[in-house]
Amino acid sequence: MGRNHVRTYAKLKDAKLVAVVDIDPKAAALAQEYGIPFVSDYRELLGKDQVDAVSIVVPTPLHHRIGLDFIKKGVHCLIEKPIASEVDEAEELIAEAERQGVVFTVGHIERFNPMIQKLKKLIDNKEIGEITSIITRRVGGFPTVEPKTDVIVDLAVHDIDIISYLLGRQPKHIYGHGSKTIHTKKLDSAELLLDYGPASGFVQANWITPVKVRTIAVTGSAGYVEGNYITQELTYYKHNMQRHNSGFKAFVSKFGEPEKYHISEEPQEPLALELQAFLTKIKGGPVQLVEPRDARDALAVVLKAIRDTLNEEISEAASIRKQPHKKMNRIKV
Ligand SMILES: NC(=O)c1ccc[n+]([C@@H]2O[C@H](COP(=O)([O-])OP(=O)(O)OC[C@H]3O[C@@H](n4cnc5c(N)ncnc54)[C@H](O)[C@@H]3O)[C@@H](O)[C@H]2O)c1
């Protein structure tokens, strides 16, 4: 993912890349590709006189330590998702960023997917009515680089953040189920049911489906919308349940063929939009970044799901305490 940040910053006119940092000397080739210095210890770059801003794209257990070191030196930080391994680490990052007055955001990249932005407008404008459910699928094959966290921490956290963002609230309860199907140590398949009170969310995330699927479906009292994160297309079906119809034919056609709108534009790279927003915010521009508190809340939900429901499967990266296994347990968040 760090390679993607470098590629994207290199194209943004507001950014001047200072260095690539990695403990792995192989990453020097990336720095060379972009004609910038390679540094093997991030502490060499700590300080406002060295860098104005940093993307922290290291394994999740290191987000807290490296993020805190940069924030303490007054450097603006974008930390990749999830914000940290534990909620108290997230709290510490947030508090320190506020103390230092730096811009701090988290790489919940799907917020910058234009499809999600359009969906958010449809929901906020009440075009779908009162939302009753949001169903997401984020499934595909096993990653080429072995994951360091469970699929819930790595993938489902995107969807939990998006569902909470779209609904504008946090879930009250979670019901979850997960399994280790191909991967021997970590959960590679999970389904989560989130109770948001008037609405529910359902997340399927796995690394075992042979085809990559990234979809979202929103049902409301005034319509139904399907979105595709990859094509960035939306299909909106307008509710047509009229109580009175002229006859059986009209009744059948009204139910079978609702008004349908296809919303599609030239796709834009969410990472480019996210990094540009980060830079614009640093310059004082009026953009909406992902609030670190939202990222903390999404982390709290995934950790609850793992701790209390899927707890036989311990994520080492998330340093989760072992408890007896309970399937489909109800958890208060
Ligand atoms: N937003 C997204 O869609 C998205 C996608 C993929 C990954 N991520 C996140 O990005 C982060 C990195 O994931 P990845 O898949 O790129 O992992 P990765 O293991 O492929 O890469 C991590 C890199 O960090 C380097 N590193 C480790 N310790 C370091 C240190 N102390 N100092 C400097 N470099 C160090 C490693 O050598 C490696 O090159 C994770 O938090 C992950 O959740 C986000």
Side-chain angles (χ1 to χ4, degrees):
M1 192 62 186
R3 168 174 282 279
N4 290 319
H5 280 246
V6 173
R7 171 180 58 77
T8 307
Y9 278 126
K11 283 191 284 193
L12 298 178
K13 62 174 174 28
D14 284 342
K16 181 171 175 281
L17 277 171
V18 172
V20 168
V21 184
D22 204 306
I23 50 163
D24 184 349
K26 287 205 286 288
L30 176 65
Q32 202 174 13
E33 206 180 302
Y34 286 86
I36 48 173
F38 174 72
V39 174
S40 54
D41 186 339
Y42 73 92
R43 287 170 299 186
E44 284 179 35
L45 289 177
L46 285 177
K48 271 196 287 197
D49 46 340
Q50 311 258 36
V51 289
D52 298 315
V54 63
S55 271
I56 297 175
V57 196
V58 291
T60 301
L62 296 172
H63 288 184
H64 171 252
R65 198 188 77 212
I66 298 181
L68 203 59
D69 281 350
F70 276 105
I71 290 171
K72 278 185 172 165
K73 294 287 182 183
V75 176
H76 305 295
C77 278
L78 186 154
I79 297 185
E80 260 305 340
K81 53 57 46 182
I83 182 169
S85 296
E86 297 288 352
V87 173
D88 55 1
E89 291 178 353
E91 299 280 13
E92 200 180 352
L93 288 166
I94 293 167
E96 191 58 30
E98 284 175 358
R99 247 193 309 275
Q100 299 295 339
V102 298
V103 173
F104 171 34
T105 188
V106 181
H108 281 284
I109 191 170
E110 298 293 22
R111 295 268 197 112
F112 291 88
N113 189 311
M115 180 275 287
I116 287 296
Q117 284 307 316
K118 286 184 206 119
L119 184 55
K120 177 74 172 153
K121 279 198 190 109
L122 286 176
I123 292 174
D124 289 353
N125 293 340
K126 294 280 175 208
E127 307 233 25
I128 318 174
E130 295 307 319
I131 306 303
T132 59
S133 74
I134 301 184
I135 296 175
T136 64
R137 296 188 72 211
R138 187 172 296 271
V139 302
F142 200 67
T144 45
V145 180
E146 188 172 318
K148 291 170 189 67
T149 54
D150 293 309
V151 76
I152 296 178
V153 176
D154 198 65
L155 293 190
V157 72
H158 282 294
D159 302 293
I160 290 165
D161 173 66
I162 288 296
I163 297 173
S164 300
Y165 168 65
L166 292 175
L167 292 174
R169 53 182 174 265
Q170 291 298 317
K172 294 171 163 182
H173 300 100
I174 315 165
Y175 306 81
H177 180 260
S179 53
K180 294 187 291 190
T181 311
I182 297 170
H183 201 288
T184 51
K185 288 201 183 105
K186 299 177 189 82
L187 295 175
D188 56 10
S189 174
E191 290 78 36
L192 304 175
L193 179 61
L194 301 130
D195 174 0
Y196 285 88
S200 55
F202 181 81
V203 175
Q204 183 189 31
N206 74 43
W207 287 313
I208 63 167
T209 302
V211 55
K212 182 169 172 171
V213 180
R214 300 280 188 272
T215 56
I216 184 164
V218 181
T219 303
S221 57
Y224 168 69
V225 182
E226 288 174 340
N228 187 317
Y229 284 98
I230 300 168
T231 63
Q232 301 183 1
E233 291 169 319
L234 280 176
T235 308
Y236 169 46
Y237 300 85
K238 199 169 174 183
H239 204 319
N240 62 356
M241 284 190 214
Q242 293 167 10
R243 297 209 177 271
H244 303 289
N245 293 294
S246 51
F248 176 69
K249 238 175 143 178
F251 173 79
V252 170
S253 76
K254 277 199 175 121
F255 275 93
E257 291 170 27
E259 273 177 56
K260 179 176 167 184
Y261 303 90
H262 196 66
I263 306 167
S264 124
E265 278 169 29
E266 191 58 36
Q268 288 176 274
E269 187 174 6
L271 183 62
L273 298 172
E274 177 187 79
L275 298 188
Q276 182 57 62
F278 177 48
L279 299 177
T280 304
K281 187 77 176 181
I282 291 168
K283 290 181 150 190
V287 286
Q288 186 66 49
L289 296 180
V290 173
E291 287 296 331
R293 284 191 170 77
D294 290 355
R296 173 206 59 194
D297 291 345
L299 175 70
V301 173
V302 297
L303 293 183
K304 278 275 186 196
I306 295 176
R307 275 196 184 109
D308 298 342
T309 305
L310 313 169
N311 43 35
E312 75 182 326
E313 321 286 3
I314 304 300
S315 160
E316 284 162 24
S319 62
I320 285 158
R321 159 176 63 90
K322 193 158 188 157
Q323 292 179 349
H325 178 60
K326 289 173 281 175
K327 266 191 175 179
M328 293 300 285
N329 200 8
R330 184 177 154 127
I331 306 152
K332 189 154 174 44
V333 180

